[in-house]
Amino acid sequence: MDSKNNFLEKLKNLVSIMDDDYIIGISNKGILNRSKKDLEKASSIEYSINDDNIEFKIDDIVCNIGDEIKNYKCSCPSRNICKHVVMSYLYLINHKNEIFGEDSNNNGEEEEIKNDFSKLREYPLEEIKKEIGDKSFGDIIKRISFGVKYELTEGSIIKVDFGEEECVVKLLDDIENSVCSCKSKELCRHKAEALILYKLEKGDITLEDLKTYEKKIKFVDEETIKKPSFEIRKSIEEIMITGLARCSQSTLDKINNMAVICHNYDLPNFEKNLRDISKEISLYFNKNASFTKKKLLRKLTNVYTNTFILENTTDLSKLTELIGEFKSSYYEIPIIELYGVLSENWISKSGYEGTTYYFYENKRKKWFTYTNAMPIFYDNTPYNNYYRRTNAYAPWGLNCKIEELSRINFKLVHGKINSQNRLSSSSETKGMVIGKSNLSDLEIQDYLFDNWKTLIDKKLNSYNNESINIIFLKVKEFGECSFDKINQTLNLPIYDEEKNIINIKVQFSSKTKSMIRVLERLSKKNPPLFLGRVFISEGEITFYPIAYYKDSEVCNLT
């Protein structure tokens, strides 16, 4: 008898918070409307109360209702909540006084349906992470930090509508009873994200809490990853004390061994930097003309200093940036609208040739990139490689050639990016061309400079952790263009309104030959709006142009 009373008490609590929205949440509007009509027409409905369920007989169908949403069983072929289950719940709502023995005298007033969703609010983040895994949990935090567009409404259920992403989550009183439009019965990524967003809305957690939690996922044992730092310093000190002239092949072996140790301790940035040092010393041994002492000293000093930071920092953000990651992890982002701005052709020392396309998004005022690259160490036909790269179709199902990406405005659905805002060419991502990219549509105030002192303060003197260092430069006038025949370098002074000077410098090569010709021609005309990078080279502020605008049309220089 006690078990039956306990069951009825639990079922009564469940039925008391049910209304049309709740039932639509566990089924859909069509099933609810059909169930209401069929309930009125039903020739006979019988029920019997058992220890752990109520058995309904609706005409020739038998339906068992338990004390939780998921505890139901119906003799019809449906695999999901069917109209018979909904009819049973409607019958319980309409006859709750009869079934549960409640007092029907409420002075003619309906009792207000109230649900505080305490189970959802108290559901621990650790359990969410455990259910969906570290990767999915980390991706959710990145999406929320990026900016998820959603609409949250709270009534008898919590409805989280992700809008254009075409996903709706209905959170009920218990996460296990909640439903998602993706039809997953488990705790899917959408349910987890909706729950976290609800906890954020209620102030149960903050965005900083989430970011800290994400960093904790990456570093299970902070002490372990700091162990190699002493050995790295010891190796560098030996090089500095011994001197390059007295270093032997064993020095290279030690550095390469340290790189392997860094790999084993999950220190990708340190591994990469040590391998770079090894390559620089190899250039010295081979008497290669590209070797410079300054470059090697800078790399040695950089790694040496970073080992102290690794040992002493307690800031997880700095630790994340210092350590880096071996392979870029891509995560799905909300729908974004991008404007193609420019493209840059390049060849790497490791034997790859490619083009990087740069896009701008007005809402977040951020840069995004997409790179199309292929190896050139298998053949000696650079023209064919270039032709294949530029004449291929654009990714994401966009109806255009890939070379047009820097000139179009388009929308991405289910787009994926990494921590450096690099776009993935995932087949799950779908694109739609909106029109032609227009400079006047871009909100580029944060990246447009017409005063070199402001440029230096914002981009060079202050800490800037932007992974994409592209700026727009509004030049007042050109200085005298010259070409250094000894160093094979073009030098073009550019002035702002206050006559401050920055130099455009381009090293001559087969790849920059046409760029130099264009710059020489432009120097004789009114300056256009330039796009490129600013940096300090040999103590001098230098601007490297990648493209310029002519009559609102982008002209790529590389």
Side-chain angles (χ1 to χ4, degrees), residues 347 351-353 374-389:
I347 296 178
Y352 282 84
E353 183 176 35
M374 60 177 59
I376 55 175
F377 40 75
Y378 293 119
D379 57 62
N380 294 311
T381 54
Y383 174 78
N384 290 338
N385 283 337
Y386 177 79
Y387 183 82
R388 287 200 299 270
R389 284 202 332 272

Side-chain angles (χ1 to χ4, degrees), residues 449 451-463:
F449 295 93
N451 184 289
W452 302 171
K453 287 183 178 178
T454 306
L455 169 64
I456 292 166
D457 289 340
K458 286 191 176 182
K459 291 294 178 182
L460 297 178
N461 288 346
S462 61
Y463 175 71

Side-chain angles (χ1 to χ4, degrees), residues 93-126:
I93 293 169
N94 296 335
H95 298 82
K96 58 185 177 184
N97 296 333
E98 171 193 331
I99 296 169
F100 302 116
E102 291 185 321
D103 184 7
S104 60
N105 184 14
N106 288 325
N107 299 323
E109 295 181 3
E110 288 290 329
E111 185 180 348
E112 184 184 355
I113 295 172
K114 196 171 182 180
N115 193 346
D116 62 359
F117 300 105
S118 56
K119 282 187 179 180
L120 294 180
R121 295 184 63 175
E122 293 167 4
Y123 201 84
L125 291 176
E126 188 63 40

Side-chain angles (χ1 to χ4, degrees), residues 148-154 157-165 167-171 194 197-198 201:
V148 179
K149 188 177 180 181
Y150 68 96
E151 184 179 346
L152 190 150
T153 53
E154 184 177 356
I157 65 168
I158 299 163
K159 181 180 176 183
V160 182
D161 188 342
F162 288 96
E164 289 183 293
E165 293 188 64
C167 179
V168 178
V169 175
K170 294 169 183 176
L171 298 172
L197 288 170
Y198 177 66
E201 288 264 348

Side-chain angles (χ1 to χ4, degrees), residues 12 20 39 77 260 389:
K12 182 181 74 172
D20 284 1
L39 188 62
V260 172
R389 284 202 332 272

